[in-house]
Amino acid sequence: MMPQDTGRQFDTVSRRNFLLGTGAAGAVALAGCTQEVDDGNGDGGDDSGGGSTDSNQLSGQVIIKGSSTVFPVSDTFAELFMEEHPQVNVTVDSTGSGGGFQNHFCPGESDINGASRPIKESEVEQCSSNGVEPVEFEVASDALTMAVNNDADWVDCVTPEEMSQIWREGGAEMWSDVRDDWPDQEFRLFGPSSASGTYDWFSENIIGPDLRHTADHQPTEEDETIVRGIRDNAAGMGYFGYAYYASNPEQVKALEVDGGQGCTPPGLDTAKDGSYPMARPLFIYASESSLQREEVYEFMRFYLENAETDTVSEIGYVPLSAEQRDQNLAKLEEVAGR
């Protein structure tokens, strides 16, 4: 039994913002690529998943779970793909990277899982025990963003160590605990839940592998909720994927990060050139068996071709290079036996 489509309930305001953010320009940019999908398909597809071998009559279902960070890319591509293939239903649900792997992808109940960090060995083992073979594709780069309330005029730049002091278990409780010239106000922290790949990446790379993430924060898998929490609290602080800041630049203040080479702002350019200390890759994982179904294969080909387009940067992430795109497509062809 297929799980219900809860992806459209994620956050209608957030989803609408991202779709509007890509706009007509994104759709036009993709038009040529979607035509290539139609023209390039042939016979020989597996009908076991309900997909037709005729690309003009492609049908079936593609189920995507996972990262809230990757969600806007997957959701945008799903909408555009369905415009070209109205008989294919692509559902996208934000569950967190780990939540998606554990509860949906590895049990074999979804075809694709978005992830804002690499799959864990324990997740590979869970997938293997259920006969699921995950295939990794890097699809973009992100500038993980730490943000504060717009009225927090005492801070513009932080170091990884200062962020670790604030976000570790048993760490700083007040702003003045970190710097003497910061106010005697308690932090109000907003961030992802422990099911999130962003939570995992931040814990490993910023808090430190031998320390634990504080539980004294408001956790959520809806990044728009983090933005609102920071906006509405003078002592608020939180972190999320750069796309969510790019769609809310007036609501919160993004902090620069000094990793030892001076204060560097989050952004597409600094993530691309590696100068921003919290730049990171973003992934999708496809089930090898799902890729044998025509509708999943065609959607993945559409996704990977267009991960190199300006639509990704309009959402708020760094697109793939042409070389990365071609490597992904070659891997897809090999795994799908094309």
Side-chain angles (χ1 to χ4, degrees):
M1 179 178 178
M2 291 294 185
Q4 294 296 312
D5 175 19
T6 58
R8 298 295 176 246
Q9 302 173 14
F10 166 67
D11 186 318
T12 55
V13 174
S14 172
R15 174 174 167 274
R16 189 177 302 114
N17 285 344
F18 280 112
L19 293 177
L20 290 173
T22 58
V28 170
L30 289 171
C33 296
T34 56
Q35 186 63 46
E36 290 176 17
V37 171
D38 286 345
D39 292 343
N41 185 32
D43 293 335
D46 183 356
D47 290 340
S48 62
S52 168
T53 58
D54 183 348
S55 64
N56 293 323
Q57 298 298 322
L58 191 67
S59 63
Q61 184 171 29
V62 181
I63 300 175
I64 307 172
K65 305 289 185 179
S67 167
S68 64
T69 303
V70 182
F71 173 87
V73 180
S74 297
D75 196 49
T76 298
F77 286 168
E79 294 284 350
L80 293 169
F81 183 80
M82 288 188 290
E83 289 178 6
E84 297 295 322
H85 301 283
Q87 296 186 57
V88 179
N89 184 30
V90 185
T91 64
V92 188
D93 188 10
S94 175
T95 62
S97 303
F101 281 128
Q102 180 178 350
N103 300 320
H104 304 282
F105 184 80
C106 291
E109 296 179 359
S110 63
D111 303 302
I112 298 167
N113 199 72
S116 55
R117 45 80 172 164
I119 190 170
K120 298 178 179 179
E121 184 59 38
S122 60
E123 293 162 341
V124 173
E125 292 173 358
Q126 182 193 359
C127 283
S128 179
S129 69
N130 292 315
V132 175
E133 183 68 28
V135 183
E136 177 184 279
F137 300 93
E138 183 176 337
V139 293
S141 297
D142 176 34
L144 181 61
T145 302
M146 184 66 67
V148 295
N149 186 275
N150 280 331
D151 293 333
D153 56 3
W154 58 86
V155 57
D156 295 302
C157 180
V158 290
T159 67
E161 172 56 29
E162 287 171 337
M163 287 186 283
S164 177
Q165 290 178 48
I166 296 166
W167 288 91
R168 71 179 63 159
E169 185 177 72
E173 297 180 358
M174 304 181 71
W175 286 89
S176 57
D177 292 339
V178 182
R179 293 191 196 177
D180 292 339
D181 58 343
W182 286 355
D184 293 327
Q185 283 183 284
E186 291 187 3
F187 292 106
R188 291 294 306 277
L189 303 179
F190 302 85
S193 74
S194 59
S196 166
T198 297
Y199 177 103
D200 291 335
W201 189 95
F202 187 79
S203 296
E204 177 72 18
N205 293 278
I206 300 299
I207 294 176
D210 298 325
L211 300 169
R212 295 174 60 88
H213 193 293
T214 181
D216 190 17
H217 78 294
Q218 182 175 319
T220 178
E221 275 310 307
E222 296 189 4
D223 295 82
E224 290 283 351
T225 300
I226 299 174
V227 172
R228 288 193 294 268
I230 300 167
R231 179 197 65 192
D232 296 340
N233 289 272
M237 173 183 269
Y239 64 94
F240 39 76
Y242 180 76
Y244 289 89
Y245 171 70
S247 67
N248 297 278
E250 306 301 323
Q251 295 196 49
V252 296
K253 181 170 74 171
L255 296 180
E256 298 183 2
V257 178
D258 184 354
Q261 302 298 318
C263 294
T264 305
L268 302 188
D269 291 340
T270 57
K272 184 175 182 178
D273 66 21
S275 62
Y276 181 64
M278 294 202 293
R280 57 175 180 160
L282 302 177
F283 306 92
I284 56 173
Y285 289 81
S287 165
E288 183 174 350
S289 60
S290 292
L291 289 175
Q292 310 312 307
R293 298 188 352 242
E294 195 72 12
E295 71 273 25
V296 179
Y297 168 77
E298 290 293 352
F299 175 72
M300 280 295 302
R301 185 153 70 96
F302 177 89
Y303 198 125
L304 297 174
E305 284 176 343
N306 294 297
E308 186 255 342
T309 69
D310 288 341
T311 300
V312 176
S313 57
E314 289 166 355
I315 291 170
Y317 299 127
V318 179
L320 296 180
S321 67
E323 181 181 4
Q324 289 173 309
R325 175 203 61 199
D326 292 345
Q327 289 173 349
N328 276 341
L329 290 170
K331 180 190 290 188
L332 175 66
E333 296 280 315
E334 180 181 0
V335 172
R338 303 296 174 120

